[in-house]
Amino acid sequence: MNQLGLYCSRCSARLPFRYQDMKCTCGGTLLVDYDLEHLSRTFKKEALQNRYPSMWRYKELLPVSNPDCIITLGEGWTPLLRMQKWEQKLPIRQLWIKREEQNPTGSFKSRGFSVAVSLLKESGATKAAVPSNGNAAGALAAYASRAGLTSTVFIPLDCPPLIVEECPLYGAETYLVDGLIHDAAAIIEAGKQEQGWVNVGTLKEPGRVEGKKTMGLELAEQLGWTFPDVIIYPTGGGSGIIGMWKAYHELKALGWIDGPMPRFVCVQEAGCQPIVDGLSPPAVREQTGTGEANPTGMRVPHPPDLPLILSIVKQSGGTALALSKEQIAEATRSLGAQGISSSPEGSATWAGMLALCDSGWLRPTDSVVLFNTSHAMKYAKLGTTPSLPTIKSYADYKSLSR
Ligand SMILES: *Cc1c(COP(=O)(O)O)cnc(C)c1O
């Protein structure tokens, strides 16, 4: 069993481990603290060689103490695909795509909820609730059902129908909210006492960041215990950036890697870009709203700990950029033409990579990893068959084909 505690990412205060309420009195976010000094002596990377290809291969670096409480659907250890042809065309050294859409619930939210729901199980909780643009709701629903817990999910009305439909399918009590994700969060906060809900929203509990941390651990292992120079990540609430930054520091403390921190690049959709605005405040101060941004995992106008995300991006020498709808749509087509199904979030990383090549921010020596966090199907329009040639026979085919 690991010696667990919590530490504050802002003031460094150390506290005993707990399952809820991750805000320090200073306002910072509490994160899980491991005895890395002890682990560096007892846990060797060679131990991983014979382990099952799942994110639970890193169980020593995950906060679940009772192995019987691990709730898994087969998450993690997703392929890291090299894009050799593009390396020839672009002014970068190496290009990889981490195929997170292959997780059990069709997005990388599986990772966070596998750990979060395991912790709920371990704590004896029975009811969980989450505000979500869809993928978090589907993941909570699936893992809660697997664990035998009740889940209630609150999703903005305009979220993609297919993602919404998954929630009742996985057995969640599902509500559409006439508002945005923070309005959905307010409903849970208002009702959690009365309803007995544990709020598993971003940074409300320790598990989701720890689950997403495994993306960083895995990336390092898949690259032979090195980090790429640049990670391009579609950022909403930011738990993935926080998790991968934590992975870097933990692997360093274990002595498994050395070298500089990867430069973290946050991509967002123009119109809802709090991280971009936080790094370089716009000349004319506008309220950070959603503008015309689509309802995706990146549409989080008020990330719960924006200062932490900004400090990670700055420390790492990274940057943030906002992509237009058109750039994102073009990237979806471009990835599709290479056999890769990418959600708008994953596409945004491709569009961001191209923009950073154009601007010269990416260097010819850089190795770059893009995170395709979900697949295109989740965002498909229901009830519209694309207009394509329709035939009944081979003769029809012959008459229509060129
Ligand atoms: C939630 C989500 C994101 C944003 O991830 P964070 O780690 O919360 O910033 C990106 N892409 C998809 C598909 C998502 O569901």
Side-chain angles (χ1 to χ4, degrees), residues 329-345:
E330 175 60 32
T332 301
R333 287 190 290 274
S334 180
L335 282 165
Q338 300 170 68
I340 296 169
S341 173
S342 65
S343 64
E345 298 91 338

Side-chain angles (χ1 to χ4, degrees), residues 30-46:
L30 299 176
L31 298 170
V32 179
D33 198 12
Y34 298 85
D35 187 349
L36 293 168
E37 199 272 322
H38 173 76
L39 279 174
S40 72
R41 279 179 280 113
T42 56
F43 184 32
K44 301 287 169 205
K45 58 183 178 224
E46 291 71 32

Side-chain angles (χ1 to χ4, degrees), residues 237-305:
S239 58
I241 290 285
I242 299 168
M244 287 194 281
W245 162 81
K246 196 166 182 282
Y248 170 81
H249 286 291
E250 290 177 4
L251 291 177
K252 210 143 193 190
L254 290 178
W256 291 14
I257 55 159
D258 60 9
M261 198 190 305
R263 282 134 63 207
F264 287 108
V265 177
C266 295
V267 291
Q268 307 203 283
E269 184 176 325
C272 182
Q273 49 187 67
I275 301 167
V276 179
D277 292 349
L279 284 180
S280 44
V284 184
R285 198 84 194 112
E286 286 170 35
Q287 179 79 26
T288 299
T290 58
E292 290 298 299
N294 284 307
T296 69
M298 297 179 288
R299 193 181 72 177
V300 182
H302 306 290
D305 194 349

Side-chain angles (χ1 to χ4, degrees), residues 11-85:
C11 74
S12 304
R14 289 193 139 69
L15 288 92
F17 185 76
R18 62 182 186 227
Y19 293 94
Q20 282 184 59
D21 192 11
M22 291 297 118
K23 235 187 176 50
C24 177
T25 48
C26 80
T29 300
L30 299 176
L31 298 170
V32 179
D33 198 12
Y34 298 85
D35 187 349
L36 293 168
E37 199 272 322
H38 173 76
L39 279 174
S40 72
R41 279 179 280 113
T42 56
F43 184 32
K44 301 287 169 205
K45 58 183 178 224
E46 291 71 32
L48 296 171
Q49 272 163 14
N50 301 318
R51 289 193 186 175
Y52 191 73
S54 143
M55 64 175 226
W56 289 97
R57 64 201 278 103
Y58 310 110
K59 62 183 185 332
E60 285 85 346
L61 293 171
L62 290 170
V64 182
S65 302
N66 178 355
D68 296 338
C69 292
I70 292 176
I71 305 301
T72 176
L73 290 165
E75 50 294 321
W77 203 257
T78 55
L80 183 64
L81 196 71
R82 186 144 178 204
M83 308 296 282
Q84 270 123 336
K85 253 193 240 160

Side-chain angles (χ1 to χ4, degrees), residues 178-201:
D178 184 4
L180 295 170
I181 190 163
H182 47 268
D183 302 309
I187 294 173
I188 299 177
E189 284 306 303
K192 70 178 189 190
Q193 287 289 339
E194 201 165 33
Q195 303 297 329
W197 292 323
V198 177
N199 185 347
V200 286

Side-chain angles (χ1 to χ4, degrees), residues 106-109 132-136 163 202 208 212 215 233-244 267-268 275 296-300 309 343-346 371-375 378-379:
S107 87
F108 69 163
K109 289 292 193 297
S132 164
N133 284 329
N135 285 320
I163 305 188
T202 306
R208 287 180 57 193
K212 284 215 180 142
M215 295 189 293
Y233 182 86
T235 313
S239 58
I241 290 285
I242 299 168
M244 287 194 281
V267 291
Q268 307 203 283
I275 301 167
T296 69
M298 297 179 288
R299 193 181 72 177
V300 182
I309 303 171
S343 64
E345 298 91 338
F371 273 83
N372 186 32
T373 50
S374 179
H375 55 70
K378 286 223 171 196
Y379 295 82

